[in-house]
């Protein structure tokens, strides 16, 4: 993730990052030529998305989130398979992609395709959906507010 100063056509350099602990995340960048500064603010969901994807901001990834729980680790827990489990309790195996879902994914620009595929895959895993289809993609887009992906 990079920011460009439009006036200078220069890549802004990372200045400071903050994770205040309430789930939000901020990072500030400055233009090395004119000194203009910008800050990026991410709400808790965006912060988790970035953290989940392992995107590097300011030179290192956000604090690791526990991503993988095996079925064995949660066996015996009454709440192990509740609908609204937090994103961090992914437990289902990787979903397969139907050919029409793959075809739709292929229309996504290459530089974000991997990220988009992971978002849909995680969405399916969290809901124990074994196969990603265009219908699942539509549902994920509506529920996650991913219009345009
Ligand atoms: Zn500048």
């Amino acid at each position: 993730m990079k920011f460009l100063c439009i006036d200078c056509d220069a890549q802004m350099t990372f200045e400071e990052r903050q994770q205040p602990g309430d789930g939000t995340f901020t990072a500030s960048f400055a233009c090395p030529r004119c000194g203009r500064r910008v800050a990026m603010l991410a709400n808790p969901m965006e912060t988790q998305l970035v953290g989940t994807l392992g995107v590097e901001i300011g030179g290192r990834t956000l604090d690791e989130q526990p991503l993988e729980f095996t079925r064995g680790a949660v066996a015996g827990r009454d709440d192990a398979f509740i609908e609204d489990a937090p994103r961090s309790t992914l437990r289902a195996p990787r979903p397969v992609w139907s050919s029409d879902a793959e075809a739709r994914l292929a229309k996504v620009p290459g530089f974000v395709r991997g990220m988009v595929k992971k978002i849909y895959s995680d969405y399916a895993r969290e809901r124990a959906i074994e196969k990603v289809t265009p219908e699942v993609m539509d549902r994920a887009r509506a529920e996650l507010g991913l219009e345009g992906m």
Side-chain angles (χ1 to χ4, degrees):
M1 199 171 291
K2 306 218 184 306
F3 292 91
L4 291 176
C5 177
I6 294 171
D7 289 346
C8 306
D9 195 26
Q11 185 179 317
M12 291 188 148
T13 54
F14 170 75
E15 260 193 340
E16 187 185 11
R17 69 201 290 284
Q18 289 185 332
Q19 264 180 285
D22 59 359
T24 62
F25 167 79
T26 65
S28 60
F29 298 79
C31 172
R33 294 198 198 160
C34 70
R36 177 185 298 180
R37 301 175 68 209
V38 297
M40 185 190 81
L41 303 177
N43 68 30
M45 184 183 156
E46 293 162 340
T47 300
Q48 184 156 25
L49 186 65
V50 171
T52 300
L53 296 172
V55 175
E56 291 201 16
I57 294 175
R60 70 179 181 89
T61 57
L62 295 179
D63 297 339
E64 290 288 323
Q65 306 275 352
L67 277 183
E68 309 273 349
F69 281 85
T70 64
R71 282 180 182 273
V74 294
R77 281 179 49 191
D78 292 333
D79 60 350
F81 297 100
I82 52 172
E83 271 300 305
D84 290 320
R87 292 181 65 87
S88 58
T89 56
L90 295 177
R91 64 188 76 82
R94 286 213 154 276
V96 296
W97 282 66
S98 73
S99 53
D100 40 358
E102 289 275 14
R104 195 158 124 181
L105 186 70
K107 294 177 190 159
V108 174
F111 66 101
V112 291
R113 194 175 301 141
M115 182 179 90
V116 171
K117 182 168 188 175
K118 183 168 182 356
I119 291 169
Y120 286 126
S121 294
D122 286 350
Y123 174 89
R125 289 174 81 186
E126 287 164 19
R127 288 155 185 80
I129 297 167
E130 290 171 8
K131 191 172 199 177
V132 177
T133 62
E135 292 71 38
V136 171
M137 294 169 82
D138 286 340
R139 234 159 61 207
R141 282 171 55 159
E143 285 184 32
L144 303 177
L146 298 175
E147 295 309 317
M149 285 195 184

